[in-house]
Amino acid sequence: MSEETPENPEGGDESGSSLSDWSEDEDVGYGEYYSFNDEEGRASQFNNNDDPEYFNYECLTAVNVEKIFNEYIQTVKSTLGVSHARAKQLLHSNKWNVQDIIEKYSPVRRSPSMSPPSSFSTAVYCGVCASNLLESDFASPKGCRHKFCKGCWQMHFEIQINQGVSTMMSCMSPGCDTLVDEDLILSNLRKAEYAAKYKHLSFLDYVRCHPNLRFCPGPNCPIVIKAAECVSKNTVCVHCKARFCFKCGNNYHAPTDCETIRRWLTKCADDSETANYISANTKDCPKCNICIEKNGGCNHMQCVNCKHEFCWMCLGDWRTHGSEYYECSRYKENPNIAHESAHAQAREALKKYLHYFERWENHSRSMKLEAATLDKIKNRITEKVMSSCGTWIDWQYLFDASSLLAKCRYTLQYTYPYAYYIEPSSRKELFEYQQAQLEAEIENLSWKIEHAETTDRGDLENQMDIAEKLRTSLLKDFLKT
C-alpha cells in the first residue's frame, strides 16, 4: 500500500511521459527471469513446456553467423552446381530458404562453350563514359551481358556503396534490373575500404532478410539472435542484456501483438497533449478532499490526513472492492453509442481511450516507484546484515519478490492496449476477468513487499506463486505468436 502525502506546494509538477518514456524507461531489471548464459555464450530460456513465453533462441557473434551462411551457401553450390556468388544471390532473394531454392531451380549442366574466342585487342565503345577501349577493359553481369568499362563499373559501385546499397546493386544499362553478383563487384573495387564496406553492408542485408535472424537492438551491440521460428516472444541479449520482441524488434509487449502495440504507441504519441493532461500524480482524497500525491507503486492508498483507504484508480472505498476488487479495470461500453450524435461518439471514444491510457501509464509509474522501494529494502537489508541479523541469502526472497512484481506489472501494463482494441465478445469478458484477477493479486504482492518487515515470509512467497500462476495463465490463453 502506498501512503498519500500532501502535495509539496514548492515542488515542481512532474511532467507527462513521452513516447520514449513508455518504450525505454520501463526496464526494471528482471531479465534474469528470462535468460541464462551457457558456456558457449548463448542465451535462451529454460526449456519449460508449461511456460507460454518459452522461446528457443541463441545469441551469436558475426563469425558464428558467417559460418551458418557459408553452410547454406555450400549446400546450394553443391546441389545446383552454381558459383559461390550466385548461391548467395539465390539465398538472399529466397530469404535463405534452401529447400525452396532446390525445388525451384534445376542443377546447372556444364556444357562446352561454343562461342568464338573474343579478340581482346578489339576497341569497344563504352556507353557511360563514351570512350573506345580495349575489350579486355570491359566487364558485364552474367545475367544480362551489358558491357561497360571497368572504370565506370568501379565508379558505379563506389557511388552505390556510399549510398548504403550492396546486395541490390543492378546493371548500369537503362531499364535493366539484373542484379550484379559479388564477384563482379569485388573484382572492380580497387580500394580496400570500399570492399570492406561492401562486405559489411552485404552482411547486414543477409541478416535482415533472414526470417530467423535479428540484430540485437541494444546500443552498439554486435550480437545476432538466431531463433527456431519468428515469433512475438521475449528475447534477452547475452551481451548487453537488452530485451525485446523477436518478431518486431521493439520492447517486449505480451500479451499484445506487434501490430496492436504499434497502433497503440502511435495513438499515444498523437494524443500526447491529452496524455500529459491526465498523467499528473495528484488526486483529491475522496473523503476529506485534501490534495495528495502517490509515492509508492501499490494502488491501495491511505490518506495521511483522514486515514481513509481507497483505490487510486477509481477512488472507490477499498473495503467495498471485495469480490469485485478490480471492476474499475474494466471499461463499460455504452450499448447505445452507435445511435448517438457524432459529437457524443467522439466524446465516448476519448473517454474510452483515457480509461485505458490512465491505467497503462499508472502501471508504468508504479514500476518506477516500486524500483525505488526496492532500493530502500536493499538499504534495510544491508543494515540488518551488518548488525548480524541474518545473511544476504536469508533475505534473498525479498529481491526475488521485487523482481517478480516488476515482471507481473510489466505484463499487466501491456494488457491495456490489448483490452482497448479487442472487440466486445465472450473472449473479451474472459480476458478482463483474468486481467482483474491478476491486477488484484499484483496489488496484494506490492502491499506485502512494501510492508516486508511485518509480512510473514511464507505468506509473501505464497503470494508470489499466486501472482505468477495468474500471469502465466493469462499469457497461455491470450499470447499470440
Side-chain angles (χ1 to χ4, degrees):
M1 179 177 71
S2 299
E3 283 195 349
E4 300 296 334
T5 55
E7 182 182 13
N8 182 0
E10 296 179 0
D13 292 339
E14 185 173 318
S15 61
S17 299
S18 66
L19 182 60
S20 60
D21 293 331
W22 303 327
S23 61
E24 296 176 1
D25 293 344
E26 295 153 2
D27 191 343
V28 287
Y30 55 88
E32 65 273 12
Y33 273 90
Y34 290 111
S35 69
F36 69 96
N37 301 339
D38 64 16
E39 294 178 355
E40 296 183 5
R42 295 167 177 165
S44 70
Q45 289 179 289
F46 292 104
N47 189 357
N48 181 357
N49 292 329
D50 292 330
D51 184 357
E53 295 180 296
Y54 172 68
F55 174 44
N56 185 22
Y57 65 90
E58 295 178 294
C59 294
L60 306 174
T61 63
V63 174
N64 298 140
V65 178
E66 288 281 11
K67 289 180 180 178
I68 293 172
F69 286 158
N70 285 331
E71 289 174 4
Y72 290 156
I73 293 166
Q74 191 58 43
T75 300
V76 174
K77 279 179 62 179
S78 60
T79 304
L80 300 184
V82 296
S83 68
H84 186 92
R86 178 58 179 160
K88 271 189 176 182
Q89 271 191 340
L90 290 173
L91 285 163
H92 181 253
S93 61
N94 289 274
K95 297 187 176 180
W96 296 85
N97 191 321
V98 175
Q99 191 60 40
D100 277 2
I101 293 171
I102 293 173
E103 291 175 359
K104 285 168 62 177
Y105 297 92
S106 301
V108 176
R109 290 187 175 89
R110 300 292 181 184
S111 58
S113 177
M114 302 302 292
S115 57
S118 299
S119 173
F120 289 99
S121 61
T122 304
V124 179
Y125 178 77
C126 176
V128 175
C129 63
S131 300
N132 289 305
L133 302 169
L134 295 178
E135 189 167 355
S136 59
D137 292 328
F138 280 73
S140 63
K142 293 177 181 178
C144 64
R145 301 296 181 181
H146 289 133
K147 288 186 176 183
F148 300 98
C149 74
K150 293 179 180 179
C152 289
W153 279 120
Q154 178 183 351
M155 183 179 296
H156 174 66
F157 294 149
E158 289 179 356
I159 291 172
Q160 292 290 296
I161 291 169
N162 282 333
Q163 293 176 348
V165 181
S166 58
T167 57
M168 299 306 293
M169 284 193 206
S170 59
C171 175
M172 286 192 289
S173 181
C176 182
D177 296 326
T178 300
L179 295 180
V180 183
D181 65 42
E182 182 180 272
D183 290 342
L184 180 62
I185 295 170
L186 292 177
S187 65
N188 285 283
L189 289 175
R190 302 287 180 248
K191 297 178 181 178
E193 61 266 28
Y194 279 103
K197 187 174 182 180
Y198 168 77
K199 291 177 181 179
H200 175 68
L201 291 173
S202 296
F203 178 76
L204 298 183
D205 277 357
Y206 294 147
V207 172
R208 287 168 184 155
C209 85
H210 196 297
N212 295 345
L213 294 178
R214 179 174 287 282
F215 284 107
C216 172
N220 302 315
C221 184
I223 294 297
V224 176
I225 313 296
K226 180 178 182 292
E229 54 183 339
C230 185
V231 291
S232 301
K233 293 293 186 72
N234 187 69
T235 310
V236 181
C237 176
V238 67
H239 179 74
C240 69
K241 307 305 179 186
R243 54 189 178 84
F244 56 95
C245 167
F246 182 83
K247 190 171 185 178
C248 68
N250 296 315
N251 280 2
Y252 185 51
H253 46 72
T256 306
D257 62 77
C258 300
E259 175 59 23
T260 300
I261 196 62
R262 185 194 65 79
R263 291 168 61 195
W264 172 257
L265 293 176
T266 300
K267 181 171 183 59
C268 289
D270 292 343
D271 294 338
S272 59
E273 289 305 315
T274 303
N276 289 339
Y277 170 74
I278 63 105
S279 65
N281 287 322
T282 60
K283 293 184 179 181
D284 289 345
C285 171
K287 186 174 182 181
C288 69
N289 296 320
I290 189 173
C291 185
I292 50 182
E293 179 181 16
K294 189 180 185 191
N295 62 1
C298 182
N299 287 324
H300 179 179
M301 317 306 295
Q302 184 182 60
C303 176
V304 294
N305 183 56
C306 67
K307 306 303 179 185
H308 177 58
E309 296 186 27
F310 61 96
C311 170
W312 175 258
M313 295 308 303
C314 68
L315 300 180
D317 191 320
W318 191 260
R319 293 172 298 179
T320 62
H321 273 70
S323 59
E324 297 180 354
Y325 186 96
Y326 257 83
E327 189 68 23
C328 63
S329 68
R330 305 181 185 185
Y331 181 75
K332 298 176 180 63
E333 303 270 1
N334 180 355
N336 299 315
I337 191 61
H339 306 293
E340 300 287 344
S341 66
H343 180 71
Q345 291 182 27
R347 189 168 58 246
E348 179 69 15
L350 177 60
K351 182 181 176 183
K352 176 182 176 181
Y353 165 69
L354 293 179
H355 172 91
Y356 287 108
F357 176 82
E358 184 175 19
R359 283 150 180 79
W360 152 274
E361 182 70 356
N362 176 67
H363 288 298
S364 175
R365 197 177 294 119
S366 290
M367 282 191 288
K368 296 173 185 176
L369 293 171
E370 284 161 352
T373 299
L374 177 59
D375 290 337
K376 295 177 183 177
I377 291 174
K378 287 180 180 178
N379 293 334
R380 292 288 295 127
I381 291 175
T382 301
E383 293 174 5
K384 288 180 178 294
V385 171
M386 296 302 293
S387 60
S388 301
C389 294
T391 66
W392 280 102
I393 295 176
D394 296 328
W395 298 103
Q396 181 62 38
Y397 74 97
L398 289 178
F399 296 114
D400 294 341
S402 296
S403 294
L404 179 63
L405 174 61
K407 178 182 175 184
C408 289
R409 199 178 284 284
Y410 187 90
T411 298
L412 183 60
Q413 180 187 7
Y414 280 91
T415 63
Y416 282 101
Y418 187 102
Y420 177 76
Y421 286 104
I422 190 172
E423 294 296 327
S425 61
S426 58
R427 182 170 175 79
K428 181 174 184 177
E429 292 177 6
L430 175 62
F431 177 81
E432 289 180 331
Y433 174 78
Q434 292 192 31
Q435 179 191 47
Q437 295 298 307
L438 175 61
E439 190 148 13
E441 298 306 336
I442 285 176
E443 296 306 333
N444 288 339
L445 179 60
S446 181
W447 165 277
K448 288 177 169 60
I449 291 174
E450 289 186 9
H451 297 79
E453 293 191 34
T454 59
T455 299
D456 177 72
R457 175 173 177 173
D459 188 25
L460 178 58
E461 290 179 338
N462 181 60
Q463 187 63 46
M464 291 169 62
D465 185 60
I466 293 172
E468 177 60 5
K469 283 182 177 177
L470 287 171
R471 190 188 78 89
T472 301
S473 177
L474 185 145
L475 291 178
K476 280 182 178 180
D477 290 341
F478 296 97
L479 175 58
K480 293 181 181 180
T481 59

